Amino acid sequence: MINQSFQQRLLALHYVLPIPLNRLQPLLQVDPELAECERMHIHQLSRLLNLTHERARKFKDAYVKALGTPLIQAYITNNITPLPFNHPNYPKQLSTLYDPPTILYAKGRLDYLLMDYHVAVIGARNASDYSKDAMAYILPPLVKHDVVIVSGLAKGADAMAHQFTHELGGKTIGVLGHGHFIRYPKENSAIYDIMEKHHLTLSEYPPYVTPEKWYFLMRNRLISGLSQAVVITEAKEKSGTVNTLQHALDNGREVFCVPGPITSLLSLGPNQSLLEGAKPVWNGYQIIEELQGIASRK
């Protein structure tokens, strides 16, 4: 049973200070129900939330104001469901991260979070037709076995993965690096329509938050964190895709890479990752076998 008063206070706090759970824990240890937060001295808030004195003062003023704002009703009106870290639908696999989201804001098919298998399919923003060709071999078996495809709703390979999964009649989750009121990049607007109507989009940021470069790096840990396995089609040697791969390795996820032609710069990332221990993949059934093996070992 969720404590509604705590949820309202947590939503208000996160609305003005959208930080991961590890940064919020010192405050929750002292004030587990957030019942005293609005009355705490600025010095204490500064210390517990690791804020400057001035930022702590602004936080407290904004938090008190947010407590009087009907946030839950506003989210309901916009078909957004907040999933705090103690919500039964909050993905358990994210709790293993060093810095899990305090709240996930979900729009669409919440039941996708409760499915057995999730696989991230990601790649370069300027992905070539090689990514499309690779997905034609990889995605159909995954969809056939009811695997939910996770990606980042970026242009290029991410958009391909969402679109192709939808066309195959599968299930897909898009993880955003901004709030739900923003559509970025604009050229993916049609994909957003499909995702919000038929599938699921997630963000760890309140709906008003606009894109920042480092938000997308933070998003990458959620893409890999939600998934048992990560598949990379194409990527430059240093890229956000490779950053996601590193998160996956750090958190014990299986990593698959599509081997690519040595003449392509977009194959440097996957080929280098194969050298470092990722598994080569050219057929979705390889991933199914790996997922079934993971399940049998539990």
Side-chain angles (χ1 to χ4, degrees), residues 153 183-196:
L153 258 171
R183 287 189 169 188
Y184 180 87
K186 290 182 179 178
E187 50 263 56
N188 276 4
S189 185
I191 298 288
Y192 274 91
D193 287 338
I194 290 171
M195 295 296 293
E196 292 180 359

Side-chain angles (χ1 to χ4, degrees), residues 12-250:
L13 187 154
H14 199 254
Y15 187 81
V16 299
L17 191 66
I19 55 176
L21 187 58
N22 63 314
R23 283 197 57 199
L24 188 61
Q25 285 293 4
L27 174 62
L28 292 176
Q29 289 171 3
V30 172
D31 185 16
E33 298 298 323
L34 297 178
E36 305 299 326
C37 182
E38 63 188 291
R39 292 183 289 274
M40 282 186 182
H41 195 279
I42 298 298
H43 292 298
Q44 188 177 17
L45 285 174
S46 173
R47 177 176 57 81
L48 292 173
L49 293 173
N50 193 26
L51 302 173
T52 64
H53 188 276
E54 179 62 17
R55 284 198 66 198
R57 182 187 65 77
K58 289 181 179 179
F59 158 73
K60 184 175 180 180
D61 291 345
Y63 173 60
V64 171
K65 183 178 180 180
L67 285 172
T69 304
L71 290 174
I72 293 178
Q73 185 56 50
Y75 294 146
I76 291 173
T77 300
N78 288 280
N79 299 313
I80 296 169
T81 303
L83 302 175
F85 65 91
N86 61 345
H87 193 282
N89 283 358
Y90 183 94
K92 300 295 185 291
Q93 59 268 41
L94 291 183
S95 62
T96 64
L97 299 178
Y98 164 74
D99 51 356
T102 297
I103 298 173
L104 276 177
Y105 299 89
K107 193 168 187 178
R109 294 287 302 272
L110 294 178
D111 57 309
Y112 285 11
L113 294 173
L114 304 178
M115 303 292 289
D116 289 334
Y117 297 118
H118 300 79
V119 170
V121 179
I122 57 175
R125 282 176 167 78
N126 58 337
S128 71
D129 285 343
Y130 186 65
S131 281
K132 283 185 180 179
D133 294 341
M135 289 182 196
Y137 285 90
I138 292 169
L139 288 178
L142 298 181
V143 169
K144 180 181 178 181
H145 284 78
D146 218 21
V147 174
V148 181
I149 304 303
V150 182
S151 201
L153 258 171
K155 64 182 180 180
D158 289 16
M160 292 177 190
H162 294 305
Q163 181 74 43
F164 196 5
T165 301
H166 174 71
E167 291 172 358
L168 290 168
K171 303 174 177 66
T172 181
I173 296 174
V175 186
L176 311 180
H178 47 79
H180 280 286
F181 290 165
I182 313 297
R183 287 189 169 188
Y184 180 87
K186 290 182 179 178
E187 50 263 56
N188 276 4
S189 185
I191 298 288
Y192 274 91
D193 287 338
I194 290 171
M195 295 296 293
E196 292 180 359
K197 184 176 181 180
H198 300 286
H199 302 286
L200 176 67
T201 54
L202 293 176
S203 176
E204 65 177 315
Y205 301 107
Y208 68 87
V209 173
T210 55
E212 297 287 350
K213 185 175 181 179
W214 70 276
Y215 289 168
F216 292 101
L217 295 177
M218 292 290 285
R219 173 207 61 184
N220 292 344
R221 82 195 195 288
L222 301 187
I223 293 174
S224 62
L226 284 166
S227 309
Q228 287 97 348
V230 175
V231 180
I232 295 177
T233 59
E234 293 179 291
K236 293 181 179 178
E237 192 170 10
K238 294 181 179 180
S239 64
T241 301
V242 174
N243 173 260
T244 307
L245 179 150
Q246 191 57 54
H247 281 298
L249 292 173
D250 290 344

